[in-house]
Amino acid sequence: VTEVEASAPPVPRVALGAEQQVRLLSAALLAVFFLVLLRTAWLSDDSYINFRTIDNFLHGYGLRWNVVDRVEAFTDPLWLFLVAACVFVTREFYYTAIAVSVLLSFAAAVLVAGYIAADATAAIVGLVLLLGSKAFVDFSTSGLEGPLTHLLLAAFFVVYWNSRRRDRTRIRNLSLLAALLILTRMDAALLVLPALAAAMIERGVAQSIRPAAWGLLLVVAWECFSLLYFGFPLPNTAYAKLGGGVPRGDLVVQGFIYVLDSIALDPLTLMTIGAAVAATLTAGARRDWPVALGLIFSAVYVVAAGGDFMSGRFFAAPFVCAVILLVRRCEWGAEPMLAMAIILLAVVAAISTHESSLLTDSRFRHDFTDRDGIVDERRVYYPFTGLMSLERRGGTLTHPWAQHGREVLASGERVSAYPADGFFGFALGPTVYALDPFALGDALLAHLPAAADWRPGHFGRRIPEGYPATLASGVNEIVEPSIHELYDRLQTVTRGPIWRWRRLREIWRFNTGGNATLIAESSYGIRHLQASDLARRKPEGSSSTAPDVVRVREGGVAVDFGAATHGPIEISLDGNDDYRIVFTRNGRVVGRELVRARWPNTDGSRGLAVYRIDPDLAGPFDQIGVTAYQGAGVFTLGHVIANP
Amino acid sequence: MIEAPVAAVPTVHRRSTSSTSVAVVLLGAFLATVLIRTAWVADGAFVDLRTVANVITGHGLRWNVDERVQAFSDPLWVLLLSLVSLLIHQPYAVVLAVSIFLTLFTAAVLSSRIAVNPFAALIALAILTFSRSFIEYATAGFQTPLVYVLVATFWAAYLDRSSGDQTRRLMLLASLCALTDWSALLAIGPGLVAALHETRPRGRDLAVAVAPVAAWVLFAAWYYGAVIPPPIVAAWHAIGPLPAMFKQGIAYLLDAIDVDPLTVAAIGLAIIGGVRSRELRSLSIGLVLMLATVVFTGGDVMSGRALAVPVLLAAIAAARQPWDRLGVLFVPAVAGIVALGLIAPESPVLTGAGYHRETQPLSVPWPNMASAVVPARAAIRDERRNWYAVTGLLTMQRTRAMPDVTSMEREVEELAGKQTVVVDERIGLFAYAAGARLHIVDPDGRTDPVLARQSPVGEWKPGPRPRDLRSTYAAAIPQNR
């Protein structure tokens, strides 16, 4: 084949049509893309978390979600400031956020098609891929930072490929764009840092450090502000979502489920990412490798972090990079037949699920299905916030959570705990303290371990006794002494005068793990018991709320057997929950066992279930750790007997 | 729009290497996506997985842990799964990962070593991606993906005349094929005969090629005391009258035309095209032999399973055609494949996590009328539809075990409390869930060396057939354990 290829005459690149006509077609596709953006435009509940902070900011309360606390309840400072600036002009949230999103997303598509694609046919291939991706289309609006991320990514790669390698301004521009990207979405750094590093190596590391410092300075400046103003370098949401003490293995499994969910609802997105990585690493130019590497880093991060609860959201930005890779390097105009075949297959892949965004209209609404807590978020909120929705009433929020917020406001309550933040918090306004059990806007809860029944992005916390009263009165009434002390210290950080030496000391302590012992000593830590305390056998079906039954809380229960022992154990556990048992010898893990509920999806009224566990251990054990894995809220342990 | 006339399009394009390779990679990625979306494990595949589970728990290559019986007819597949499962103690995950990997490897062999150019690779990959038979049995847990690899590698070696040790490689691959699926020898047999006709094998090459089969036969004779495993013996004793099997075989092909027209069309065209091509004649003969076997043995109980390997042969034949000569007609050719694939009822490309038994369209022709499906068609099951809700990869959740055998576990616990030996025809997932706790006697004889040798009772029907359980042997089992 190679020999035949070499001797073949050149083919004119006009088989699909004249270049001008192809350009016209790509312009028409851009117009279609704009229409699709309008047809699918919506705002998510989470976008209203930002809106509440913006509202408070524009009313002079500072960058705060609850006006009394300096808590960074947003992850996207640049997007927040952009929307805030626009809202400052328009004095309106709903249409402003949608307009900004549509314009930025359209600009991103123009950059990809007009400035990155190798030719007009490649631009068409790129636009078809963008249009077909549910993740990209859904998060091209949504009120979240997606559109700005996509635009900055496209701009970064325009500079990366289109500017000369020796250009003195190239590294500075790349570094500034990378910094802006980090300030928009921190984990997007994984997508561009390998390319930035490659560009610096190309130019010479020594000559690149100074221009690269521009971007670094921008990030450092924000981090300094964040540390001084909020008391923490990362957003509170990061502590709430990543610091709940959930085992890494569970997050990885959930991350794998997130990948499967994306393949189920949106096959084109991951297929394109996979193809871009494979094509680049097998036959791509070396200059493209850092981009493929960035895609791999990003995929690993998404899986390791357990994905997200919004289906496809974390794959939207990597998808943009993948499309950029595929259209940049291929002169599809030279192979119009292949381009048409690929377009055909992309369309089939895009519409092969009934969830495709292209196939939805104004009647798009919730179908109450989810996968391990991952939901088609646009489907959930479109009836209430969709631009084309038949049920939306102007910019007024009609969602039941917003309605509940208005009722709370009218009732005169000072503090309201409610497991929803966005619409509810926005409707509350600045006068009511929104106590968020998922800890996104609450610094105390964010620093406590999460309960076992979590879903991605929703790591619920047990609210300490006396905490709501504390928030209402302003006086620390938390009952548990160590949590009482923890809150005292935290108040110094989030409410105390900014430039006090004591506050800086507390900031240091919080950020260096100095408060870990307070949590370990509390009911959120591990409860240590002797095996003899749990030796009284409970028959199957006995009450799981009896006085001698032990509650398994966030830290779990450690049962000490006193001496090394072999063999099976008999254990009674609340029969409608799953538990993890870790066998240790002198603190070293010798085995694990996951105990599945005997009566899953029941209300717990069937009581304790007795299990005989004969695990495959690496040796004898002297202690077992029992932790809740997942279930229906209350987790209990009845008895444990070794070698029954 | 199209300025250059069709005739002016040259035979061979001067290609942009990156766009052609990217196009093939994109279609490969699409195939991977479809495989993941449709991945499942059939109930019958858990027969092998029970043996694999016993291997990783140290009980040896046994189905019931207390007796040495070879309950599988695909030793290479069972050994491969056992080997990987010893590293990753999750047979369900292992069987799906290995199946997907082997199928993608097959696609890579097809597009890089068999296809004459990227256009041919695209056509071949499109046939595989949109073929219901190929996709559904690429996972399913059966040995089919290993057969795919061996058959594709065989034909890649056969068509590559430049290799010096071609004959030895072909014989070795045939040997491995025999250890995976005896019937798949039909797919490569004519090619092997043709190659041996051209080049007489050396004795040393023959010894190397026969070594894997000889090693297994010796092991089976020593360990199990039998060379032919019970599943094959049971099937042999269950053979029915030729007219009945022929009628059922025709029904099987009609079922395939109904539910998977692309596969049947691709096979038909490959047979016709292969006869006219010297290099593909052996492949064409192999296809005819496989189809004849399907028809004369009554097909299979699983819709499309018997056509999974034939459609791979058809894709191999398609990959040898110079599709770039079609010029502008190349796109309609791809569109035709896509359309033929998508008109299959619930094409795998279009099914997702919600695919399950209840989605089956009503087979009642008129309101208030009982189902009128003829027995021959009723005997052919849409197996993925039956089991996807239980074993489909997309149904996986963090909060439940996979496969979810909670209810079966309960039943096993109750049974194990009363007896250790049960007679039960559920030798798939139920037996897998029972693990070493129960000794299961299959009334159809597939896992039992004594019952396998008995003649079945009742009229012939495709698939397993029950034996007379009133025999002394079956009645004596519970007392003897």
Side-chain angles (χ1 to χ4, degrees), chain A residues 37 40-42 98 101-102 105 136-144 146-147:
Chain A
L37 285 179
T40 56
W42 66 296
I98 284 189
S101 301
V102 168
S105 296
F136 178 74
V137 169
D138 281 2
F139 294 99
S140 283
T141 53
S142 84
L144 302 170

Side-chain angles (χ1 to χ4, degrees), chain A residues 236-253:
Chain A
N236 191 65
T237 48
Y239 301 99
K241 291 180 180 179
L242 304 176
V246 176
R248 178 62 60 196
D250 293 358
L251 289 175
V252 170
V253 172

Side-chain angles (χ1 to χ4, degrees), chain A residues 531-539 548 572 638-641:
Chain A
S532 54
D533 300 334
L534 295 163
R536 198 167 146 254
R537 186 173 265 125
K538 314 274 187 309
D548 58 343
S572 60
H639 73 272
V640 183
I641 299 169

Side-chain angles (χ1 to χ4, degrees), chain B residues 182-466:
Chain B
W182 282 92
S183 65
L185 283 176
L186 294 171
I188 58 173
L192 184 65
V193 171
L196 294 179
H197 183 69
E198 281 182 21
T199 314
R200 285 184 67 83
R202 289 175 297 178
R204 198 179 61 186
D205 291 349
L206 197 60
V208 169
V210 171
V213 171
W216 176 259
V217 166
L218 286 174
F219 170 78
W222 169 72
Y223 187 72
Y224 297 116
V227 173
I228 302 175
I232 291 179
V233 177
W236 179 257
H237 282 87
I239 287 177
L242 191 61
M245 291 201 296
F246 180 78
K247 189 180 163 195
Q248 184 63 33
I250 294 295
Y252 191 77
L253 284 190
L254 287 176
D255 173 79
I257 293 170
D258 181 23
V259 302
D260 193 7
L262 173 64
T263 293
V264 178
I267 293 170
L269 287 174
I271 290 173
I272 295 165
V275 170
R276 295 172 58 190
S277 157
R278 190 164 173 269
E279 71 167 5
L280 294 176
R281 198 158 295 146
S282 307
L283 186 144
S284 185
I285 293 169
L287 264 177
V288 171
L289 287 175
M290 292 199 87
L291 281 193
T293 308
V294 167
V295 171
F296 285 102
T297 58
D300 197 298
V301 288
M302 298 182 208
S303 175
R305 186 184 176 198
L307 299 180
V309 176
V311 78
L312 172 64
L313 291 182
I316 290 171
R320 300 300 289 180
Q321 306 302 320
W323 293 94
D324 50 346
R325 290 185 189 170
L326 282 177
V328 292
L329 291 179
F330 177 73
V331 174
V334 175
I337 291 169
V338 171
L340 212 48
L342 294 183
I343 62 169
E346 292 179 321
S347 155
V349 173
L350 301 180
T351 60
Y355 187 57
H356 55 89
R357 199 175 300 158
E358 282 70 32
T359 60
Q360 188 166 20
L362 288 172
S363 54
V364 179
W366 196 259
N368 303 323
M369 189 177 169
S371 173
V373 179
V374 293
R377 289 293 294 278
I380 304 165
R381 300 194 300 261
D382 184 347
E383 196 71 344
R384 192 170 79 90
R385 187 199 297 277
N386 284 341
W387 287 97
Y388 193 81
V390 183
T391 66
L393 181 59
L394 290 189
T395 66
M396 181 177 165
Q397 292 190 28
R398 182 178 59 85
T399 46
R400 72 182 177 108
M402 199 68 200
D404 190 357
V405 288
T406 315
S407 57
M408 288 180 182
E409 278 284 348
R410 201 83 23 81
E411 191 180 344
V412 168
E413 273 182 25
E414 281 174 20
L415 278 170
K418 297 179 214 156
Q419 62 203 86
T420 54
V421 179
V422 292
V423 178
D424 203 310
E425 63 182 4
R426 293 176 297 169
I427 61 169
L429 190 55
F430 176 76
Y432 176 78
R437 288 170 288 179
L438 292 179
H439 177 108
I440 295 175
V441 178
D442 173 24
D444 298 337
R446 291 161 294 180
T447 62
D448 191 292
V450 175
L451 290 178
R453 283 166 173 77
Q454 288 184 9
S455 293
V457 293
E459 282 192 11
W460 180 84
K461 65 179 180 64
R465 293 170 63 196

